[in-house]
Amino acid sequence: MKFVFAPEAPIAVPVVGTDAHYPLRRVYCVGRNYAAHAREMGFDPDREPPFFFCKPAGAVVPVAYGEVLELSYPAQTNNYHYEAELVAVIGKGGSDIALTDALSHIWGYAVGLDMTRRDLQMKMREMGRPWEIGKAFDRSAPIGPIHKASDVGHFESGGLWLTVNAETKQKSDVSHLIWSVAETVSDLSKFFRLEPGDVIYTGTPEGVGPVKVGDSMTVGVEKLGELHVRVV
């Protein structure tokens, strides 16, 4: 096949304990999936079904263990927010996946950050427009190495945390998800056929807030370790 220009290599995330990498296809995100976070954003979590948005695969930045990612403060924002998340990694394709079968489609898990230009997101929300400029910008989705589900199990519970300059800002547990990982996979598959290469950022707990140039973030999930980011 002849191309007009050479296609870019896929974004690939290292897999813990192997020399293999997981090539990314699509990045799905779940909005307001922790009750306390929904409330801090001004919504009633008891009345809202899950909803989804996407980031391009090119927004993902793999961060190796022991590495500190230098993340440039993005353009056109004065309110750059962190959101710590558990990421579910799809290993088997499917549509209309039954809830009882959903976990069999998950190949692994990782620690993730959904970085957000909050002022632009809120402006678009107020205007009834899509969120892309607030959510889908370059390097807005750092991710740690992937752990195979066969090694770490599935997540019905597990601590999740984020610190800024060693001060705890987010601290919660995956058990507080409004829609569990299995429910999220099952519901999302009603709208999109999921395929290997897809990852799902499952939502963030309360405590989101801004960072500035010079700030250092550490985000972790129990059994998955931590990733480290410095804003430059």
Side-chain angles (χ1 to χ4, degrees):
M1 183 181 294
K2 229 175 150 181
F3 295 100
V4 174
F5 55 88
E8 291 186 6
I11 303 295
V13 185
V15 177
V16 172
T18 79
D19 59 359
H21 288 70
Y22 180 92
L24 287 177
R25 175 179 175 266
R26 291 183 180 173
V27 181
Y28 298 100
C29 303
V30 187
R32 297 192 291 268
N33 202 20
Y34 285 80
H37 174 57
R39 292 187 185 99
E40 76 179 353
M41 298 301 290
F43 294 89
D44 182 351
D46 298 324
R47 296 184 180 178
E48 187 173 59
F51 76 94
F52 307 98
F53 61 94
C54 293
K55 290 177 182 262
V60 172
V61 189
V63 186
Y65 287 134
E67 175 187 353
V68 178
L69 173 67
E70 292 198 340
L71 196 60
S72 297
Y73 197 99
Q76 303 298 320
T77 184
N78 294 305
N79 199 15
Y80 184 39
H81 276 212
Y82 53 79
E83 297 189 5
E85 310 211 7
L86 170 69
V87 182
V89 175
I90 298 298
K92 183 173 72 172
S95 299
D96 293 312
I97 297 167
L99 178 59
T100 53
D101 192 40
L103 292 181
S104 73
H105 289 258
I106 296 177
W107 189 82
Y109 295 91
V111 179
L113 264 176
D114 170 14
M115 298 302 295
T116 302
R117 295 191 282 204
R118 188 72 72 199
D119 45 357
L120 300 186
Q121 181 198 18
M122 293 299 99
K123 182 178 180 181
M124 293 301 102
R125 191 178 83 181
E126 290 165 5
M127 297 173 72
R129 295 179 178 177
W131 289 1
E132 271 81 356
I133 62 171
K135 285 286 191 179
F137 56 95
D138 297 341
R139 295 168 65 83
S140 61
I143 190 171
I146 295 169
H147 292 251
K148 292 184 285 186
S150 58
D151 292 336
V152 298
H154 292 289
F155 282 80
E156 294 183 0
S157 63
L160 182 154
W161 61 91
L162 181 142
T163 67
V164 178
N165 302 327
E167 180 182 350
T168 299
K169 298 293 187 178
Q170 292 186 281
K171 187 175 182 181
S172 190
D173 195 281
V174 175
S175 62
H176 296 156
L177 284 166
I178 297 171
W179 299 94
S180 70
V181 174
E183 289 170 329
T184 295
V185 169
S186 178
D187 196 74
L188 180 60
S189 74
K190 297 173 184 176
F191 302 97
F192 301 92
R193 178 175 174 83
L194 299 179
E195 297 286 2
D198 295 345
V199 299
I200 305 170
Y201 281 61
T202 59
T204 196
E206 70 276 14
V208 300
V211 285
K212 61 184 185 301
V213 171
D215 283 346
S216 293
M217 293 178 283
T218 296
V219 55
V221 176
E222 189 177 332
K223 297 192 290 186
L224 303 182
E226 295 180 329
L227 65 85
H228 302 276
V229 177
R230 187 165 68 90
V231 183
V232 297

